[in-house]
Amino acid sequence: QVQLVESGGGLVQAGGSLRLSCVASGSTFNGPAMGWYRQPPGKQRELVAIIGGGGTTKYAQAVKGRFTISRDNAKNTVYLQMNNLRPEDTGLYHCNKCNWPTGTPGGSWGQGTQVTVSS
């Protein structure tokens, strides 16, 4: 079973940047698509970005041009570089393995990492 540990969140001013990391344990990391998701306060979890096993990427419209998802299979790690952050990017961020190209998550959730963007 793959276990996921997210890190890199924090408090940042609008316009700032953060880089999230998701380290996966287990033997299945090289194959599946991986996604980043976020849950804003009082709202449902939403898809932010996904990356296929070969590196193809897709983004939610709200983050296109500002966020970049990448993966390092040798390190079992998926990253989310977030630039030009906005207050509406605030939320609890999780990673998970997912279906390509729908982004439907398919594994167990980790604890996530909190991102708070102040105006």
Side-chain angles (χ1 to χ4, degrees), residues 21-72:
S21 298
C22 168
V23 180
S25 63
S27 61
T28 63
F29 184 80
N30 283 355
M34 295 292 294
W36 279 100
Y37 307 80
R38 67 187 181 190
Q39 186 167 16
K43 297 183 179 180
Q44 291 188 338
R45 185 181 289 131
E46 60 189 19
L47 176 66
V48 175
I50 60 175
I51 184 166
T56 308
T57 59
K58 292 181 66 177
Y59 297 91
Q61 189 63 39
V63 306
K64 276 184 180 179
R66 300 187 298 121
F67 290 11
T68 303
I69 187 171
S70 61
R71 66 192 296 163
D72 185 338

